[in-house]
Amino acid sequence: MIERPFACIVQKPTGIPDRYDNHIERRLSSMTGQFRDHQAYEKLVQQSDRVIYEVYEGRRVDDQRELAHGVSIVKPGKVGDEFFMTKGHFHAVLETAELYYCIQGEGMIVMENPEGDWAAERMSAGVVLYVPPRWAHRSVNTHPHDELVVLFAYRGDAGHDYQSIERRGFRKLVVAAGERTEIVDNPRWIPLHQPA
Ligand code: F6R
Ligand code: ZN
């Protein structure tokens, strides 16, 4: 249990909280198979295996009374025409929700449920997004230069199921079409629940 109230400040312009317990860095090489242009992906990984997002977590307590929380920072950039993004996941306890608050930057949260319904919401400073129970979620940075900084909170014992997304990807991808951002079908996506 976290015994005492505490406050922290998300510093600007870095997006790094002035207190945190855990810092996670995810590099391009941890996203094998997720970007649709495999050649562009391999080339970029070989050129420089960049950190494409970071997470600063507060103390995580595996307890349903607590709120896991922190800040995620997705870097600007693309693999081919597809924007840098997080791995994305369902919660291991599927029936748990998450709340996002965009602090700075521009992007999109792509979501889907096990039945294959999907949704995408634009994020910019001040947007609050409620991700209902059962919906997988992924953050995508659509800005050419700025980082996407998002505060998150979810039930302490929710856990993460990364495997389902690693296996089949999200139903929708976010790509650049000139100056515009487009949501397109993921060619390798297959429904989680195939009809019998
Ligand atoms: C936590 C959550 C987010 C992500 C973060 C990194 O449940 O949804 O805070 O953890 O955006 O993304 P993943 O965890 O998909 O690598
Ligand atoms: Zn989550």
Side-chain angles (χ1 to χ4, degrees), residues 1-2 6 16 19 28 35 44 57 80 86 93 112 144 146-147 168 186 196:
M1 276 260 281
I2 295 176
F6 65 90
I16 302 173
R19 59 177 280 177
L28 256 183
F35 292 98
L44 260 188
E57 287 183 322
T86 59
V93 181
E112 69 186 50
D146 296 345
E147 295 182 326
R168 70 202 182 105
N186 179 357

Side-chain angles (χ1 to χ4, degrees), residues 113-178:
N113 67 16
E115 288 72 40
D117 273 353
W118 67 276
E121 290 291 338
R122 278 187 186 279
M123 297 301 268
S124 58
V127 173
V128 176
L129 171 67
Y130 184 77
V131 182
R134 309 183 79 254
W135 286 71
H137 36 284
R138 160 179 280 167
S139 308
V140 183
N141 184 349
T142 57
H143 196 277
H145 315 294
D146 296 345
E147 295 182 326
L148 175 66
V149 181
V150 175
L151 176 89
F152 61 84
Y154 61 103
R155 207 175 87 179
D157 64 340
H160 297 102
D161 161 19
Y162 289 104
Q163 263 193 353
S164 305
I165 300 298
E166 273 164 10
R167 273 204 301 270
R168 70 202 182 105
F170 270 76
R171 182 169 191 166
K172 296 288 174 179
L173 303 174
V174 184
V175 300

Side-chain angles (χ1 to χ4, degrees), residues 6 22 24 27 34 39 48 54-55 57 69 73-74 84 93-95 100 119 128 142 152 155 167 176 195:
F6 65 90
N22 194 22
I24 301 161
R27 293 183 183 274
Q34 295 303 313
Q39 275 186 346
S48 83
E54 300 176 77
V55 182
E57 287 183 322
H69 60 277
I73 303 175
V74 186
F84 283 179
V93 181
L94 189 61
E95 305 291 335
Y100 278 164
V128 176
T142 57
F152 61 84
R155 207 175 87 179
R167 273 204 301 270

Side-chain angles (χ1 to χ4, degrees), residues 57 60 66-70 89 91 96-99 152-160:
E57 287 183 322
R60 205 199 295 170
E66 303 279 356
L67 287 175
H69 60 277
H89 56 265
H91 288 164
T96 54
E98 184 151 347
L99 196 72
F152 61 84
Y154 61 103
R155 207 175 87 179
D157 64 340
H160 297 102

